[in-house]
Amino acid sequence: MLNIPSPEITPEHIYLSRRKFMSGASKIMLGAALTVACSDQTESSNSDFDSGNRQTDRDNLGDSWTSYKSITNYNNFYEFSVNKERVAVMAQDLRISPWEIEVGGMVKNPGRYHVDDLLSKFDQEERVYRLRCVEGWSMVIPWTGFPLRRLLDEVEPTMNARYVRFETLYDPVQLPGQNDGWYSWPYVEGLRLDEASHDLTILATGIYGRALLPQNGAPLRLVVPWKYGFKSIKSIVRMDLVSEQPVSLWMKAAPVEYGFYANVNPNVHHPRWSQDTERRIGELQRRKTLLFNGYAEQVDNLYTNMDLKIHF
Ligand code: MTE
């Protein structure tokens, strides 16, 4: 079960990278080396790849990007380990190519997609989002990816489809945590169809313009920035359009603690800890948690007339 904040990483040094990203329009190409197709990017060659230019690389609230090092070394991925600092090493051999995703259920055009085909089919955009874990820590992550809506348009949900159900790879040999009988594997998550179709909801394929690493959910993971991080399911192999609200792994494990909606909300506390504040990785002070993780203007119309304490 998701832990109360454990010892977090030491704040990293802030230094300027030689790298700058063209805002909003980075594109990535799949291949042996994934590169950002932007005009002013200099050659990346060594392990100092870290933070981007901290003076200019900010999210829409002016917050600095979290370092690449922290994003890729402090992870929740229970299929590998419950120890955030061990996930990156344990995940490094996950076979992420070739990788197929099956999209089915209540759709007119079910299909199997190679991730490479999705990458060439849909333009990759850069989206800088805050990620707020239910445990009380957060990051600012420059993702690359494409709106999930584009894929939904392709498969055409039928009239009765109301939710999307997502599934992570099930492979207890590669994902040893799946031998842990406490959870009901594979990892499952779900969204209402209007949440899934919202422009902020993306399928991510990269971070800092580089291909997603296994520890972050390669080759394809969901990112829903106004919800707690556990909704952003990693390493997806299956998506189904369904009429009934899906039951997620966390809802099954602890229904009183983890609801279907899981919207970031400082007014609705976890039964075992407060959600008032969070610790931004790389900072010492805690900061106030914002309703819908700071995306209220974009998403509160999805929840009109809903009691968020009941639909937590
Ligand atoms: N997806 C799978 N399949 N397994 C997981 O354990 N952890 C979730 C989410 N997606 C998880 C998952 C949680 S709790 C968080 S906070 C985010 O992934 C963390 O994403 P990150 O490691 O890329 O920061």
Side-chain angles (χ1 to χ4, degrees):
M1 172 158 342
L2 287 170
N3 298 318
I4 300 175
S6 56
E8 291 172 351
I9 53 150
T10 356
E12 73 277 3
H13 295 297
I14 293 174
Y15 53 91
L16 299 179
S17 149
R18 296 175 311 235
R19 230 162 247 95
K20 272 180 96 184
F21 290 89
M22 200 167 71
S23 63
S26 302
K27 296 198 166 191
I28 59 176
M29 301 175 304
L30 201 65
L34 278 123
T35 50
V36 179
C38 56
S39 53
D40 58 354
Q41 190 198 13
T42 51
E43 182 55 35
S44 76
S45 56
N46 56 39
S47 58
D48 73 349
F49 182 80
D50 193 74
S51 60
N53 183 339
R54 293 261 172 175
Q55 305 308 307
T56 55
D57 294 339
R58 309 260 168 187
D59 71 0
N60 65 333
L61 297 180
D63 297 348
S64 310
W65 297 2
T66 302
S67 74
Y68 184 74
K69 197 169 162 197
S70 295
I71 297 170
T72 55
N73 285 279
Y74 188 78
N75 303 102
N76 269 336
F77 203 161
Y78 276 36
E79 286 88 333
F80 290 105
S81 172
V82 294
N83 180 337
K84 300 184 205 328
E85 276 134 43
R86 288 189 64 209
V87 170
V89 172
M90 291 192 66
Q92 64 188 348
D93 294 329
L94 179 68
R95 281 190 304 277
I96 53 173
S97 178
W99 190 282
E100 285 186 348
I101 295 172
E102 181 135 14
V103 189
M106 301 172 131
V107 294
K108 289 194 188 127
N109 317 308
R112 279 183 86 79
Y113 295 86
H114 284 280
V115 168
D116 308 22
D117 295 338
L118 293 178
L119 279 159
S120 44
K121 205 177 186 63
F122 304 119
D123 281 350
Q124 306 295 302
E125 308 169 21
E126 183 170 84
R127 299 283 186 99
V128 181
Y129 288 156
R130 293 172 290 286
L131 178 126
R132 166 51 157 94
C133 180
V134 72
E135 297 166 327
W137 53 268
S138 62
M139 298 189 184
V140 178
I141 304 181
W143 302 101
T144 19
F146 59 91
L148 170 58
R149 192 188 53 241
R150 300 227 185 292
L151 183 53
L152 294 173
D153 287 347
E154 182 90 9
V155 296
E156 293 187 67
T158 58
M159 288 288 286
N160 296 330
R162 292 186 54 218
Y163 298 90
V164 189
R165 181 183 182 279
F166 304 85
E167 226 176 83
T168 295
L169 174 70
Y170 180 69
D171 181 348
V173 174
Q174 289 203 82
L175 306 173
Q178 290 179 337
N179 295 302
D180 176 344
W182 178 259
Y183 298 105
S184 164
W185 304 105
Y187 200 100
V188 167
E189 260 309 338
L191 292 175
R192 230 170 48 194
L193 187 51
D194 56 349
E195 298 176 319
S197 307
H198 193 282
D199 184 58
L200 287 181
T201 306
I202 60 165
L203 287 173
T205 55
I207 286 175
Y208 270 92
R210 294 185 157 192
L212 215 52
L213 297 176
Q215 61 265 39
N216 294 108
L220 195 79
R221 59 101 46 98
L222 183 69
V223 180
V224 195
W226 70 94
K227 292 178 180 285
Y228 291 118
F230 68 84
K231 296 296 286 184
S232 293
I233 180 172
K234 297 179 169 182
S235 306
I236 299 168
V237 290
R238 217 193 142 82
M239 285 172 41
D240 286 296
L241 278 288
V242 294
S243 58
E244 303 284 318
Q245 185 174 288
V247 180
S248 68
L249 172 139
W250 289 109
M251 289 164 75
K252 263 193 200 157
V256 178
E257 304 198 347
Y258 306 106
F260 174 77
Y261 283 94
N263 291 313
V264 175
N265 190 337
N267 309 312
V268 178
H269 299 296
H270 189 281
R272 290 183 284 134
W273 60 87
S274 159
Q275 295 293 20
D276 279 340
T277 63
E278 66 201 57
R279 196 171 105 81
R280 182 65 49 83
I281 298 301
E283 293 178 0
L284 291 174
Q285 299 293 324
R286 294 185 74 84
R287 51 166 73 213
K288 278 200 174 309
T289 286
L290 303 173
L291 180 61
F292 297 118
N293 204 21
Y295 299 99
E297 205 180 305
Q298 291 95 325
V299 301
D300 64 0
N301 63 328
L302 294 172
Y303 309 104
T304 320
N305 299 326
M306 274 178 67
D307 184 339
L308 299 176
K309 287 201 165 74
I310 295 171
H311 301 285
F312 64 97

